Amino acid sequence: MEKADAARVFGNFAGRTALVLSGGGARGAYEAGVLLAFQDARLPTHIVAATSVGSINAASFAAHSDSRVGSAERLIESWFDLTPPVVGIEWTRYVWMLAGLVAASAGFGNLLRHWLTSRGYDFHLRDPALTWLALGLAGVTVLLLYDRLPYLGYVLRHLFRRTTWRPDRRKAVQSLLANVLVWGFLLFVLHSVYGYDLLLHYFGQHPGAALLLVGGLLLLVSLRTLGRARLSALFHKLLRLPARPGLFANFERGRMLRQRITHQQLRDSPIRLVFTATDLDRGTPRFFTNTPAEVLARDPGADSRFVHEEMETADDLVRAVIASSALPLVYEPIPLEDRLYTDGGIVANQPIRPAVRLGADVLFLVLVDPPQGRRADVRTFLDVGLRALDLLMTQNLLTDLKILNNMNAVCVRAAAERGLTPEEIEIDLGTRRYRYIQAFTIRPPHALIGTALDFGGDTTGPAILQGYCDAAACLEGFAAYARQARLGLSRQVVRFAPGVVPAD
């Protein structure tokens, strides 16, 4: 940058630059490296539009600077201090829930036993230690292989029907072993109870009682089959009682952010900040900003209508950051100003539109996934949910980029017809005006190590370094563009009829 005389080039650049930061969880360390490169290059940043973890990075970048050159050193330090518990990812919460279930089962079970004993019914075990061990192993088998247990019955039904269907051998073996373990353990427990032999002898002497028992069991099975929907609905209600709208609460994450960033720091920053959140009730994006609407509307190139209709100055900007980064499934949504908000990446993972509407001439789009995507490591329902969100966010980004590229193409063609550069014209479509926006993309060439929830450890440093190097290379390209860009001049307005755009 020094050899390229970048400080002078950036200082003389007449356009407004905007950073657009995406989501990605722990992979947001890459964005921290990008921001550190922007700080070292002394590039003035007029606008930072962000969502999800990008909002956290943007807030720290702007809060610790009193100029349009952001400061990323505190942010880098914070990333190296992050661990899963610091950001509220604490799986012991579910260990406590499991312990509560065990305690409730033991408590009510022993209460039932006491009630039966007080009425003359008592149960004794031949070998208590082996019996309870068998019951425990049966419980663990059900816990880990509950989804494999029914497959054996499914296979047997097809065998009796003599169909040509071929079962999955691996699943069939797993189901057979799981059923043998569970039913074997339960039979052992039953055999360990004193009185079992007497019960068999009684049924041998009274076949009618045995038939009555079998009939009762068949009736229970029939009732379960006929009333399966109602039974499922009942258990659905019961299982929802301890459930929460997210795996983890926001308390630890919120405390971490408030220790590092204050509302006043964000409010005082000269950098225009936009934190994108999703309104869960309306399904629309909400853009929270650190600058009053009447001030934003006076910025060069800003769309006054967009500012007043779609942007909001939050009373608590730190809470807006927490809402913007409340990743669905992982964190609980945030109530903010009488509405419920969650991660902005659901509707705008790359909030390009607010950056453009605030008058950006140059966009730096920071992505945390490589061009060819990344291989999904899907093992649990949480992995599936996070991957699905990644795909949704990617589609939102592609849509926004397509719109931007289409308008840029219109500007390029219209400018070429008039012998001008794209930056020297403005397209008037009747409802609003569009300008040429030069976009630079910063993204890793290969997939970053780790998943969205792998905070801390050995993945942070390499991600930061990769982001720094990729941003440095991009800034060299921007310096070359800035030297020849014809910005700051009056633009020639090219008018088209409303709804009419020149064909490609």
Side-chain angles (χ1 to χ4, degrees):
M1 291 292 99
E2 290 179 358
K3 292 180 180 179
D5 196 18
R8 183 187 61 80
V9 173
F10 295 159
N12 294 332
F13 184 64
R16 288 168 58 79
T17 60
L19 262 169
V20 182
L21 302 178
S22 67
R27 300 192 300 275
Y30 177 86
E31 295 178 344
V34 171
L35 295 176
L36 185 63
F38 272 67
Q39 170 198 301
D40 289 353
R42 309 298 298 170
L43 174 64
T45 306
H46 300 84
I47 306 160
V48 182
T51 191
S52 197
V53 72
S55 293
I56 297 175
N57 289 329
S60 181
F61 184 65
H64 296 108
S65 174
D66 56 3
S67 71
R68 287 198 171 93
V69 176
S71 175
E73 292 178 1
R74 296 278 188 89
L75 177 62
I76 297 295
E77 293 173 2
S78 296
W79 270 101
F80 280 109
D81 291 338
L82 288 185
T83 60
V86 169
V87 294
I89 300 177
E90 184 55 81
W91 292 103
T92 55
R93 167 183 181 177
Y94 292 92
V95 175
W96 283 109
M97 290 178 64
L98 183 60
L101 178 62
V102 172
S105 303
F108 288 116
N110 282 289
L111 178 62
L112 177 62
R113 178 181 178 182
H114 173 74
W115 183 81
L116 292 172
T117 303
S118 66
R119 282 158 177 75
Y121 302 96
D122 199 3
F123 299 92
H124 298 283
L125 300 176
R126 290 188 176 92
D127 193 331
L130 283 177
T131 302
W132 296 126
L133 175 62
L135 184 61
L137 291 174
V140 170
T141 303
V142 171
L143 183 66
L144 298 179
L145 299 175
Y146 69 92
D147 57 334
R148 292 289 186 262
L149 287 169
Y151 191 72
L152 180 62
Y154 185 65
V155 172
L156 292 176
R157 285 197 298 272
H158 277 277
L159 289 177
F160 282 118
R161 294 171 183 171
R162 297 181 179 181
T163 62
T164 57
W165 170 79
R166 292 184 179 181
D168 185 319
R169 291 186 178 182
R170 181 178 178 183
K171 289 176 64 175
V173 171
Q174 289 178 341
S175 182
L176 176 62
L177 291 176
N179 277 278
V180 168
L181 287 172
V182 171
W183 294 110
F185 290 146
L186 291 179
L187 288 173
F188 176 79
V189 170
L190 182 62
H191 186 267
S192 298
V193 178
Y194 280 109
Y196 172 76
D197 296 335
L198 294 176
L199 187 64
L200 291 180
H201 179 72
Y202 176 80
F203 284 137
Q205 296 294 324
H206 302 84
L211 292 175
L212 186 63
L213 177 63
V214 172
L217 292 175
L218 291 175
L219 179 62
L220 288 175
V221 172
S222 301
L223 289 175
R224 177 198 175 271
T225 303
L226 295 174
R228 187 171 185 176
R230 292 184 178 181
L231 190 64
S232 177
L234 174 62
F235 281 114
H236 180 211
K237 292 179 180 179
L238 292 175
L239 292 173
R240 283 174 63 122
L241 290 176
R244 299 292 183 269
L247 286 174
F248 308 108
N250 291 289
F251 174 76
E252 295 294 341
R253 195 165 60 94
R255 183 173 66 174
M256 179 271 295
L257 287 173
R258 292 189 187 279
Q259 287 174 346
R260 292 165 171 79
I261 306 167
T262 68
H263 168 83
Q264 198 58 47
Q265 284 178 311
L266 295 174
R267 184 74 75 202
D268 293 341
S269 174
I271 299 175
R272 307 309 195 210
L273 293 170
V274 181
F275 306 123
T276 308
T278 299
D279 186 329
L280 279 178
D281 296 324
R282 299 176 180 175
T284 56
R286 192 61 178 171
F287 304 113
F288 295 100
T289 179
N290 64 331
T291 309
E294 58 272 15
V295 177
L296 278 180
R298 293 196 298 267
D299 283 349
D303 185 331
S304 177
R305 181 177 178 181
F306 174 83
V307 169
H308 287 287
E309 290 183 357
E310 298 195 41
M311 305 200 71
E312 181 177 335
T313 306
D315 294 333
D316 185 347
L317 284 168
V318 178
R319 192 165 180 81
V321 173
I322 298 171
S324 175
S325 56
L327 189 64
L329 299 179
V330 180
Y331 293 112
E332 297 176 355
I334 294 290
L336 187 63
E337 308 199 0
D338 299 328
R339 305 198 74 83
L340 201 60
Y341 292 95
T342 190
D343 195 302
I346 297 177
V347 290
N349 189 45
Q350 275 280 339
I352 295 173
R353 190 164 63 101
V356 171
R357 297 292 181 89
L358 290 182
D361 298 298
V362 175
L363 292 181
F364 292 95
L365 308 177
V366 185
L367 310 177
V368 298
D369 284 331
Q372 69 275 16
R374 61 185 179 87
R375 183 178 179 181
D377 186 13
V378 177
R379 297 182 181 180
T380 68
F381 75 94
L382 184 59
D383 297 324
V384 175
L386 292 177
R387 182 56 184 157
L389 286 173
D390 275 345
L391 295 174
L392 174 63
M393 294 172 180
T394 300
Q395 290 305 312
N396 291 335
L397 168 62
L398 293 176
T399 300
D400 288 347
L401 282 177
K402 184 177 181 180
I403 295 172
L404 177 64
N405 291 335
N406 286 343
M407 292 313 305
N408 277 348
V410 172
C411 292
V412 169
R413 289 194 299 273
E417 293 171 358
R418 292 159 178 79
L420 302 172
T421 63
E423 294 88 353
E424 294 179 284
I425 68 167
E426 190 170 288
I427 303 295
D428 186 349
L429 296 182
T431 55
R432 69 179 305 269
R433 293 186 176 188
Y434 294 87
R435 295 172 294 112
Y436 179 84
I437 309 293
Q438 178 66 42
F440 294 89
T441 301
I442 304 173
R443 66 191 315 176
H446 307 289
L448 299 173
I449 302 172
T451 68
L453 301 183
D454 291 334
F455 289 92
D458 298 331
T459 63
T460 301
I464 291 174
L465 181 59
Q466 185 67 58
Y468 191 96
C469 294
D470 294 342
C474 178
L475 287 171
E476 290 184 16
F478 170 68
Y481 168 78
R483 287 190 184 90
Q484 53 83 34
R486 298 178 63 82
L487 292 169
L489 305 175
S490 60
R491 298 175 185 266
Q492 180 177 330
V493 178
V494 180
R495 292 182 174 84
F496 293 106
V500 178
V501 179
D504 290 334

